[in-house]
Amino acid sequence: MNILISGGSGFLGSAFSKEIKQRDQSMNKEIYITWLTRDSSQTHPNGIEMLTYDELATSDKTFDVILNLAGAGIADKRWSDARKEQLLASRIKPTNALLTFIARTTVKPKLLISGSAIGWYGTQGDKPLTESSSFETDFAHKLCDEWEQLALKATDHGVPVSIVRTGVVMHPDGGMLGKLLMPFKMGVGGQLGDGQQIMSWISREDWVGATIFIMEQHLANQTNNQHIISSGDNTLETDNDTPAMVYNLTAPNPVTNHTFTKTLGSHLHRPTFFTLPEFLLKLMFGEMSTLLIDGQKVLPQALLDSGYEFQQPTLKQALEEQKA
């Protein structure tokens, strides 16, 4: 099996690549991973091939699955107008390049898995949100929706699409947890605002496991002339009969920021007396502070209905098993 990954060297793409190579090698399967890159000299692990965007434009290679993860981190910098344009362009340009390849290639991929985020739902407090829920319009929704709508154009060429809306990914190697470990270990960690905002999170192990689950289930169903796995409520509308689905990649047990703070502090045996008040967060981060202040209770209904079993369903378990 051949898999092409945009954003392969990132926090999620690298973990996915490592896990699926190890999993398939242990089962004596042949799998080839190619990372799509702008720099062919980029450092990469053994066994990973590199393909530049310029090479993709004329390549005659075929891929069974494309995993589209390219995109600048939404929480990495303050949301200036220029930063908003960068966030969108960093998602749209790679996706357009993949669509151009899909349209041109004779042998189509069997599946496009395209990244998104639970920001698609907008700010909705503690209202439970599943794949069938509606959205509130804000910048995060517009960013995610434009990315999703573009990826869905792959169905115009007969390629099924799975959109994965990702929550806060937990792992000490990076992401939110990686940034918080040092201040918490120094005893200066604390809750944000009133701490009641809901945090919809997922361990990196389960993000990788769920993505592989979606991919393998789809390929198996396609071999049996069945559609992509669906709970019925996670089907997306397209202009054709090619299936498109959406999955919330979040753990089944979201927590409040207060609970997250106390759980991490207890795990690290450190106090959590400090609080960053809401007005200060708004002053420090501007519009981006909504990611810290306003919660979302997003549930992985489609994954659960499809039979995925979470490896780390609780935050305490994730912290302990990841040795954060």
Side-chain angles (χ1 to χ4, degrees):
M1 179 167 60
N2 291 291
I3 302 176
L4 176 66
I5 308 176
S6 67
S9 63
F11 179 56
L12 296 178
S14 58
F16 174 91
S17 301
K18 180 178 180 180
E19 173 63 23
I20 199 166
K21 290 283 285 186
Q22 290 178 343
R23 183 177 300 197
D24 284 356
Q25 286 172 359
S26 67
M27 299 174 66
N28 295 318
K29 293 182 178 180
E30 289 189 348
I31 185 164
Y32 303 95
I33 303 290
T34 301
W35 285 357
L36 191 57
T37 180
R38 301 195 182 281
D39 181 8
S40 59
S41 64
Q42 181 183 24
T43 302
H44 57 279
N46 293 332
I48 301 292
E49 297 184 21
M50 304 295 280
L51 184 70
T52 68
Y53 282 89
D54 288 340
E55 290 170 339
L56 181 70
T58 58
S59 176
D60 59 359
K61 292 186 177 182
T62 61
F63 299 97
D64 298 288
V65 176
I66 296 178
L67 180 56
N68 182 26
L69 300 176
I74 192 171
D76 289 352
K77 296 181 181 179
R78 192 183 179 99
W79 290 350
S80 64
D81 289 343
R83 179 59 177 174
K84 287 181 177 181
E85 291 179 3
Q86 183 183 16
L87 288 171
L88 182 59
S90 68
R91 289 157 171 78
I92 297 303
K93 289 182 179 179
T95 306
N96 267 326
L98 290 172
L99 288 172
T100 300
F101 170 77
I102 288 171
R104 179 178 58 79
T105 188
T106 302
V107 180
K108 307 297 184 187
K110 298 173 183 176
L111 178 66
L112 168 64
I113 302 177
S114 195
S116 185
I118 60 173
W120 184 90
Y121 297 101
T123 300
Q124 301 198 49
D126 59 359
K127 176 183 177 181
L129 302 171
T130 67
E131 288 84 357
S132 62
S133 298
S134 59
F135 59 86
E136 293 291 332
T137 302
D138 56 16
F139 170 68
H141 166 76
K142 292 177 181 177
L143 176 68
C144 294
D145 193 58
E146 190 161 346
W147 194 15
E148 290 186 15
Q149 293 304 315
L150 183 60
L152 288 174
K153 292 185 181 297
T155 62
D156 294 342
H157 307 288
V159 177
V161 175
S162 285
I163 301 291
V164 289
R165 292 176 182 157
T166 299
V168 177
V169 182
M170 294 291 182
H171 195 278
D173 285 353
M176 176 181 175
L177 182 58
K179 294 177 181 178
L180 290 177
L181 279 179
M182 183 57 69
F184 269 76
K185 286 180 177 179
M186 294 175 64
V188 294
Q191 74 180 31
L192 305 177
D194 64 10
Q196 296 309 301
Q197 63 273 37
I198 303 293
M199 179 185 299
S200 296
W201 65 278
I202 186 170
S203 72
R204 189 169 69 169
E205 285 82 354
D206 270 314
W207 187 94
V208 170
T211 302
I212 293 175
F213 174 84
I214 292 168
M215 179 185 73
E216 291 183 339
Q217 288 294 306
H218 167 72
L219 295 179
N221 289 344
Q222 192 177 64
T223 299
N224 295 325
N225 295 318
Q226 297 176 0
H227 285 312
I228 198 169
I229 52 177
S230 169
S231 65
D233 293 332
N234 67 323
T235 303
L236 294 174
E237 292 186 9
T238 62
D239 296 329
N240 51 73
D241 294 330
T242 303
M245 305 294 160
V246 61
Y247 298 87
N248 292 335
L249 266 57
T250 57
N253 298 292
V255 296
T256 64
N257 178 258
H258 174 78
T259 297
F260 168 81
T261 300
K262 294 303 180 182
T263 303
L264 180 56
S266 175
H267 174 71
L268 297 173
H269 306 292
R270 293 292 185 274
T272 54
F273 300 133
F274 292 90
T275 295
L276 277 175
E278 183 174 325
F279 81 89
L280 184 57
L281 290 168
K282 289 182 177 179
L283 185 64
M284 293 170 61
F285 300 107
E287 185 181 356
M288 194 186 78
S289 64
T290 186
L291 299 177
L292 307 174
I293 298 169
D294 301 315
Q296 292 176 303
K297 189 176 183 179
V298 181
L299 303 174
Q301 196 61 53
L303 278 177
L304 294 173
D305 290 347
S306 300
Y308 179 73
E309 296 183 5
F310 280 82
Q311 304 168 54
Q312 297 167 347
T314 68
L315 180 62
K316 184 175 184 292
Q317 184 178 0
L319 293 174
E320 289 175 351
E321 294 185 5
Q322 293 175 348
K323 296 179 175 58

